[in-house]
């Protein structure tokens, strides 16, 4: 038999050291993510925002949760679109499933929930303030307020856009990911140049050998090597300028 809402809320509060009063408050995704952390202990809790108010913050919490499911091969789809609306029934069903999963997976022992959140003392109050309703779409709210006057609408729009801008940690994470991609591209280019240099060295050696004995016909092996060296992708056409110069390569290696 499934546990009641009151029992589930009491369990969440006891496990995480928070003071939720409604199932709907779990819609931000923060508590779900930390419940997974209580099992595996590897959730990046610095990226989980209990005091979230906006949709992009909710999405960030659910991204952390989804990554944990993928990492630990949990065969369960996270219905984030429904959960983020902070409706009681959707969150109750997901919480009931998560409680059963926790019961079968929790390793035992004491879990330091507050310590895992960095020891902050205001998470309980922040959680209650921030998850009583669905996330706010700042731009839409500004549009609704603008009917009171052109000037007031512009002011409200500017204020809401400032509120919706990502926090500094998200920007830093994106910059880190971008730098990792640049490092990967640089490594691939270095590897490409290395193997291209090897092929060029082979080509020069063959040319030098042919110049020593021009009267000797190319062997079958040399012909096959040339075929490999000068083969192109299907559909690729050599530009006219390069086609005229084909075969007249300098002797230096690249």
């Amino acid at each position: 038999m499934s546990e009641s809402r009151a029992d589930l809320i009491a369990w969440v509060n006891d496990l995480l050291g928070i003071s939720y009063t409604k199932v709907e408050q779990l819609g931000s995704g923060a508590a779900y993510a930390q419940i997974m952390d209580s099992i595996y202990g590897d959730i990046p809790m610095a990226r989980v925002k209990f005091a979230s108010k906006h949709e992009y913050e909710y999405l960030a919490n659910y991204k952390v949760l989804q990554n944990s499911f993928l990492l630990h091969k949990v065969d369960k789809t996270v219905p984030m679109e429904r959960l983020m609306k902070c409706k009681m029934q959707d969150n109750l069903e997901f919480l009931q499933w998560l409680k059963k999963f926790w019961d079968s997976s929790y390793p035992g022992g004491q879990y330091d929930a507050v310590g895992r959140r960095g020891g902050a003392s205001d998470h309980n109050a922040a959680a209650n303030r921030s998850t009583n309703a669905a996330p706010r779409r700042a731009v839409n709210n500004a549009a609704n307020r603008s009917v009171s006057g052109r000037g007031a609408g512009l002011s409200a729009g500017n204020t809401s856009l400032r509120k919706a801008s990502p926090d500094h940690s998200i920007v830093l994470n994106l910059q880190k990911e971008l730098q990792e991609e640049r490092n990967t591209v640089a490594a691939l280019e270095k590897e490409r140049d290395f193997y291209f240099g090897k092929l060029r060295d082979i080509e020069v050696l063959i040319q030098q050998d042919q110049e020593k004995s021009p009267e000797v016909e190319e062997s079958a092996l040399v012909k096959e090597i040339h075929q490999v060296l000068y083969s192109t992708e299907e559909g690729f056409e050599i530009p006219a300028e390069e086609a005229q110069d084909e075969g007249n390569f300098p002797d230096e290696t690249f």
Side-chain angles (χ1 to χ4, degrees):
M1 182 175 179
S2 299
E3 298 180 64
S4 67
R5 281 182 285 171
D7 291 338
L8 289 170
I9 288 295
W11 167 72
V12 170
N13 289 337
D14 182 63
L15 177 66
L16 304 185
I18 55 179
S19 54
Y20 280 178
T21 58
K22 300 178 181 179
V23 173
E24 295 92 314
Q25 290 173 272
L26 283 92
S28 72
Y32 294 139
Q34 191 165 14
I35 291 171
M36 291 297 291
D37 184 72
S38 72
I39 300 173
Y40 299 109
D42 59 359
I43 294 288
M45 291 304 301
R47 295 168 54 189
V48 177
K49 306 298 182 185
F50 273 82
S52 54
K53 297 179 181 180
H54 299 289
E55 187 175 86
Y56 73 86
E57 294 173 313
Y58 283 31
L59 285 172
N61 289 339
Y62 279 107
K63 182 178 180 181
V64 172
L65 180 65
Q66 279 191 321
N67 288 341
S68 179
F69 275 38
L70 291 173
L71 177 63
H72 298 290
K73 296 180 173 59
V74 179
D75 187 17
K76 174 70 174 179
T77 300
V78 180
M80 66 172 65
E81 292 293 334
R82 299 205 311 271
L83 297 176
M84 285 172 53
K85 294 178 181 178
C86 297
K87 299 298 183 181
M88 186 274 293
Q89 188 61 38
D90 293 324
N91 281 278
L92 178 60
E93 291 177 1
F94 188 75
L95 183 58
Q96 287 172 339
W97 174 88
L98 189 56
K99 177 59 164 61
K100 292 179 181 178
F101 179 79
W102 186 90
D103 287 337
S104 63
S105 305
Y106 186 64
Q110 187 68 26
Y111 174 65
D112 183 11
V114 176
R116 287 290 293 152
R117 293 197 296 266
S121 60
D122 60 345
H123 276 92
N124 294 351
N128 286 325
R129 288 197 307 270
S130 64
T131 54
N132 285 322
R136 293 182 293 179
R137 294 176 179 264
V139 175
N140 290 345
N141 290 344
N144 292 333
R145 289 194 299 270
S146 65
V147 297
S148 61
R150 183 183 299 271
L154 290 174
S155 176
N158 291 337
T159 301
S160 62
L161 287 174
R162 285 197 299 272
K163 288 182 179 179
S165 59
D167 61 26
H168 187 57
S169 62
I170 295 178
V171 174
L172 289 178
N173 287 334
L174 291 174
Q175 290 176 339
K176 182 179 178 182
E177 292 178 8
L178 178 60
Q179 186 58 47
E180 290 175 353
E181 293 295 335
R182 287 173 176 169
N183 292 340
T184 300
V185 171
L188 291 173
E189 289 178 345
K190 184 176 181 181
E191 184 177 7
R192 175 204 63 191
D193 294 342
F194 173 78
Y195 287 109
F196 180 78
K198 292 288 185 184
L199 292 172
R200 180 61 180 144
D201 290 342
I202 293 172
E203 182 184 36
V204 170
L205 289 174
I206 292 175
Q207 289 177 350
Q208 290 175 346
D209 184 69
Q210 288 177 330
E211 290 173 358
K212 291 178 182 178
S213 305
E215 68 282 353
V216 178
E217 186 178 353
E218 285 185 349
S219 65
L221 176 61
V222 171
K223 290 181 179 179
E224 289 181 6
I225 292 175
H226 272 149
Q227 186 176 0
V228 172
L229 289 174
Y230 301 135
S231 63
T232 61
E233 291 285 347
E234 183 178 354
F236 175 79
E237 295 183 3
I238 300 176
E241 295 179 0
E242 295 184 13
Q244 293 175 0
D245 297 334
E246 186 176 343
N248 299 324
F249 297 103
D251 291 337
E252 301 85 13
T253 58
F254 295 156

